[in-house]
Amino acid sequence: MLRRMCTLAIFREVAPGLPLIVAANRDEYLVRAADAPCALKDVPGVVAGRDREAGGTWLGARRDGGALVAGLLNRRLPGAAASSIPGTRSRGLLCLDALGGVDVDTALAAIDRARGGGPVLTDYSRFNLLLADPSRAVVVDNGSGIEVRHTELGPGLSVLTNLDVNDPRCPRLASAVPRFEEVAARFRAGVQVKDLVGVLQPLLGSHDSSLDPSEFDELSRLCIHTDGYGTRSSTILAYDDRNRLHYFHADAAPCQAQFREIRS
């Protein structure tokens, strides 16, 4: 079974004038239908993609009424494949619940309220849920199946897949984090919104893995292509120092597709 994973890189207080930058690759089965990000009618003020199968989202952000990013990743135990629990409520719907908030604090309250009359967070299939605004970021996970953890992310670079934040046990992180650190150094020197795609797309679309010179482990790369599974889309978003959202999306693998700005 595939070790299903996506990748989220979070840059907090790294680039002058851009207190929050998030870069994300979504890896998924190619047959699973999804809609590209747009303004959601049922969650006012939010721009997000939509999974047609279960109705949730893997990543979204507030354009109006607040400043908040929510990103959902499958979670796995070290040495095991990520899995879903049949019959449970979609993790992607939990991500939409969070986007009902206007910042991290209210998003945490929103997912807590969502439990009323429904599943507790430990009952969901295993997840990592990133919640970030320009002043705070936290990862919520239920990986143990017994308790829910909150991991606060400090200023700087954090990278998340389907284990812990910056987890050295993840081959993809061990290979990719040094390259994201190079990007962070460039951001610290100053970057304009119009240059974000040019800086990040070569990395998000990379097929290189310094840990796998044999090129055997496809899943150690950031942009992956396997039979029936791969990097389905890529997103770069940022909040500037006036809390304005800038949202760029490639609706296919970032090694092939152009990013376009989502304005609606």
Side-chain angles (χ1 to χ4, degrees):
M1 182 181 292
L2 286 169
R3 293 169 295 161
R4 297 173 60 189
M5 68 177 79
C6 300
T7 305
L8 280 170
I10 306 99
F11 302 86
R12 287 196 58 236
E13 301 177 21
V14 171
L18 297 172
L20 178 63
I21 301 170
V22 175
N25 275 1
R26 179 186 182 234
D27 303 333
E28 186 52 89
Y29 291 104
L30 303 183
V31 297
R32 185 159 184 153
D35 296 321
C38 64
L40 300 183
K41 294 181 179 179
D42 54 337
V43 191
V46 168
V47 177
R50 205 70 180 256
D51 172 38
R52 292 185 186 176
E53 183 173 311
T57 188
W58 58 93
L59 180 67
R62 277 208 161 268
R63 186 181 297 283
D64 301 308
L68 174 68
V69 177
L72 193 287
L73 301 89
N74 296 335
R75 172 92 188 187
R76 71 178 177 90
L77 298 175
S83 61
S84 297
I85 302 173
T88 57
R89 185 174 185 258
S90 168
R91 293 166 282 195
L93 293 174
L94 188 65
C95 193
L96 286 182
D97 293 337
L99 287 166
V102 298
D103 56 19
V104 170
D105 291 343
T106 55
L108 289 169
I111 62 174
D112 190 58
R113 286 198 305 271
R115 297 188 306 175
V120 298
L121 296 182
T122 50
D123 287 342
Y124 284 84
S125 297
R126 303 295 176 257
F127 65 79
N128 281 331
L129 175 63
L130 168 71
L131 303 173
D133 63 38
S135 61
R136 185 186 178 193
V138 62
V139 173
V140 181
D141 83 79
N142 67 348
S144 71
I146 301 171
E147 61 182 0
V148 175
R149 297 189 306 170
H150 291 185
T151 302
E152 296 282 343
L153 307 185
L157 169 68
S158 301
V159 188
L160 182 65
T161 58
N162 58 6
L163 291 171
D164 290 342
V165 179
N166 299 327
D167 197 324
R169 296 170 296 180
C170 177
R172 182 183 299 185
L173 286 188
S175 177
V177 165
R179 289 178 286 168
F180 277 119
E181 289 174 340
E182 293 175 1
V183 169
R186 183 168 178 180
F187 284 171
R188 289 187 182 96
V191 64
Q192 301 295 313
V193 168
K194 63 182 179 62
D195 298 321
L196 288 175
V197 170
V199 173
L200 283 162
Q201 184 170 14
L203 177 51
L204 294 172
S206 174
H207 303 133
D208 297 331
S209 172
S210 60
L211 298 182
D212 184 25
S214 69
E215 299 186 357
F216 177 76
D217 186 2
E218 183 66 36
L219 296 185
S220 69
R221 289 146 180 74
L222 278 170
C223 185
I224 68 174
H225 304 268
T226 68
D227 185 17
Y229 181 87
T231 303
R232 289 279 302 274
S233 64
S234 186
T235 301
I236 299 166
L237 58 85
Y239 282 103
D240 63 26
D241 52 11
R242 295 174 60 185
N243 278 354
R244 294 177 299 191
L245 175 66
H246 306 271
Y247 200 124
F248 304 91
H249 182 75
D251 200 28
C255 64
Q256 303 167 347
Q258 294 298 311
F259 283 79
R260 65 183 181 90
E261 187 169 5
I262 307 297
R263 297 183 180 273
S264 59

